Structures are given as C-alpha cells and as structure tokens.
C-alpha cells in the first residue's frame, strides 16, 4: 500500500529576513485530517514557518506543496483561495470593525451569501460569546474573545488547512482549555490543522504528529504521543 499524498509538504525550505537566515532547509509533511504541531523555543522559526506557508514571507529556496500543487510563489490571498487559512500570532483582528464585520472579512473571497451566513452561525456555535458581542468593536474585546474571533475569522473562508499561530498566548488557563477543546472540534469537522504553540504539553496532547524546531531547523519528527514520552523533549519543552 502506498501512503496517501500529504495535504501539505515542505521540502528544503529556506527563508531569510534581510541577512538573517530564519528557516534553514526545513522539510515536513502533514496528512489530510490530522492535527500537527510545531514546538520549539522562542525565535526558533515557528511563526516564520507558518508565514512562509501562507505567503506572507517568501521562501528563497525549496518547495511548498498544498494538495500536490506548488504554492511557494503565491501571494497570501492566492494561498487562501486554494483552501488555506491562518489565525496569526497576536490575533491581528480589525480593531475598528465589529465582531460581525471581522468575520465577514474572513469570507472576502466568497460570493455564496447564504452559505456565509450559515458558516457565521457555525462560528457562533463554536464561540457563543461572539454572538453576544456581534456588534461590539474588535478592539474592545478581551484577549480571549479576540483569539476566538481570529480563529472564527479564519474558519469563514472554509479552509481545508488551518494554520494556528500561538492560539493560547496570554490567555487564562480556563480559556486555554476552551481554545484547545475548540481546536479538537474544528479537527473533527474535517479541517487539517497545523498548530504552532508555546504550550508544548497541550499541543502534543491534542496532536497526531509533532515537529520539534531548533534555530530554523526541524530536528525531530514523531507521533505526538511518542514526543510526550521523549526524554529530550520532556527536559527541553515540557518542564520535566
């Protein structure tokens, strides 16, 4: 039996910020329907990896394929049109737009108004608090609510692949649990998820596959359950 083609494949990807060599030839593959997480220290290149996939940063070398097609020369809106969506680090919602308008911005490439309205209701089912805040300006929401809005906005494009960058950053423990429960719910709906997360224990607990990154390189790839038991990972990232 041959392995199915991965939904996302990075091959020897290099990315520079000016003279800084941020990604130094990373290769990884994510299978359809799984949750994969990327863990590592601050400054290891995790967010750069997601931004390079989404076209915010351009890979200077190597190849990124989504469903078999190269996407590493595309702009973010073209990557989004293919079925990839990102909830970026720091949320980056539109502070002067209402909650509803932020969600509508997530669907800006779509023309199917009735389906957009249905998807908005699905977001409200995932995050009921957003329905209560529908007419409130994004900038006046709490940190947790803004994170929910960022994820909801990303879902409004109906992605096949969702890139989540530090969804638990700065949130209270109870909210962190809620965010991770929701990530599992999104996964059950058939969306593939690539998760960058400082909370390595939580990320590995909900993921199928884990990648460990150090200074621009992926140094370890394994089943997430195996990485939870790996002594090196425990010592460096799990505080054990």
């Amino acid at each position: 039996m041959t392995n199915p083609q991965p939904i996302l494949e990075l091959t020897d990807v290099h990315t520079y910020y000016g003279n800084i060599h941020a990604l130094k030839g990373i290769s990884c593959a994510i299978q359809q329907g799984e949750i994969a997480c990327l863990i590592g220290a601050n400054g290891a290149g995790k967010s750069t990896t997601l931004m390079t996939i989404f076209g915010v940063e351009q890979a200077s070398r190597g190849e990124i394929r989504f469903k078999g097609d190269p996407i590493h020369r595309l702009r973010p809106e073209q990557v989004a049109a293919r079925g990839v969506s990102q909830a970026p680090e720091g949320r980056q919602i539109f502070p002067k737009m209402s909650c509803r308008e932020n969600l509508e911005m997530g669907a800006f490439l779509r023309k199917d108004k009735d389906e957009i309205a249905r998807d908005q209701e699905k977001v409200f089912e995932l995050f009921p608090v957003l329905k209560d805040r529908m007419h409130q300006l994004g900038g006046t929401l709490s940190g947790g609510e803004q994170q929910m809005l960022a994820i909801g906005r990303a879902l409004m494009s109906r992605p096949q692949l969702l890139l989540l960058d530090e969804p638990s950053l700065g949130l209270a423990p109870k909210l962190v649990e809620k965010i991770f429960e929701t990530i599992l719910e999104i996964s059950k709906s058939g969306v593939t998820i690539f998760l960058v997360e400082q909370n390595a224990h939580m990320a590995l607990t909900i993921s199928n596959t884990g990648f460990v990154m150090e200074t621009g390189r992926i140094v370890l790839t394994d089943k997430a359950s195996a990485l939870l038991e790996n002594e090196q990972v425990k010592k460096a990232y799990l505080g054990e």
Side-chain angles (χ1 to χ4, degrees):
M1 261 180 71
T2 56
N3 283 334
Q5 184 186 60
I7 189 168
L8 180 73
E9 201 166 8
L10 279 70
T11 308
D12 192 32
V13 172
H14 294 254
T15 302
Y16 286 83
Y17 288 126
N19 294 325
I20 298 165
H21 197 176
L23 300 184
K24 301 169 183 174
I26 66 167
S27 298
C28 64
I30 295 171
Q31 300 304 319
Q32 178 122 24
E34 75 171 343
I35 301 176
C37 68
L38 182 60
I39 64 170
N42 275 337
K46 305 185 302 297
S47 292
T48 304
T49 301
L50 293 195
M51 288 194 292
T52 303
I53 293 165
F54 199 58
V56 178
E57 299 297 336
Q58 282 292 308
S60 59
R61 217 161 76 230
E63 191 171 62
I64 303 170
R65 286 183 173 269
F66 176 65
K67 291 165 59 181
D69 295 324
I71 59 167
H72 51 283
R73 294 283 172 262
L74 302 182
R75 296 188 304 276
E77 66 273 18
Q78 294 172 311
V79 176
R82 298 287 179 103
V84 182
S85 190
Q86 183 180 26
E89 185 182 4
R91 296 143 202 165
Q92 294 182 29
I93 55 146
F94 299 102
K96 291 187 164 52
M97 285 186 180
S98 70
C99 208
R100 181 193 281 280
E101 288 167 335
N102 266 279
L103 292 177
E104 286 167 355
M105 287 301 288
F108 79 103
L109 289 170
R110 295 172 58 184
K111 302 284 181 274
D112 49 342
K113 279 191 176 167
D114 291 348
E115 291 298 310
I116 289 170
R118 276 193 201 100
D119 286 346
Q120 195 165 278
E121 283 308 313
K122 282 185 197 165
V123 170
F124 291 149
E125 280 167 31
L126 275 177
F127 302 117
V129 70
L130 294 184
K131 190 161 195 172
D132 302 334
R133 306 274 188 272
M134 206 175 356
H135 303 297
Q136 202 170 313
L137 294 183
T140 66
L141 301 177
S142 71
E145 289 161 356
Q146 287 189 15
Q147 187 59 67
M148 293 172 197
L149 183 56
I151 295 171
R153 183 182 62 188
L155 290 173
M156 287 298 293
S157 67
R158 281 201 178 165
Q160 294 162 62
L161 172 66
L162 176 60
L163 308 173
L164 289 177
D165 197 351
E166 301 286 9
S168 80
L169 195 67
L171 301 187
K174 209 168 185 178
L175 267 177
V176 171
E177 259 174 58
K178 164 70 181 161
I179 292 290
F180 277 95
E181 279 167 20
T182 307
I183 292 169
L184 281 170
E185 258 181 83
I186 294 165
S187 171
K188 282 178 194 156
S189 74
V191 180
T192 305
I193 296 170
F194 193 12
L195 169 67
V196 158
E197 179 55 57
Q198 278 295 111
N199 188 333
H201 190 275
M202 204 77 146
L204 290 168
T205 300
I206 68 161
S207 295
N208 308 93
T209 303
F211 307 103
V212 180
M213 191 166 215
E214 287 176 8
T215 55
R217 292 185 174 89
I218 290 175
V219 294
L220 202 51
T221 301
D222 209 336
K223 286 183 176 169
S225 54
L227 290 176
L228 275 169
E229 300 303 319
N230 180 300
E231 290 305 320
Q232 189 188 338
V233 172
K234 278 183 179 180
K235 201 172 168 183
Y237 305 109
L238 305 179
E240 293 179 29

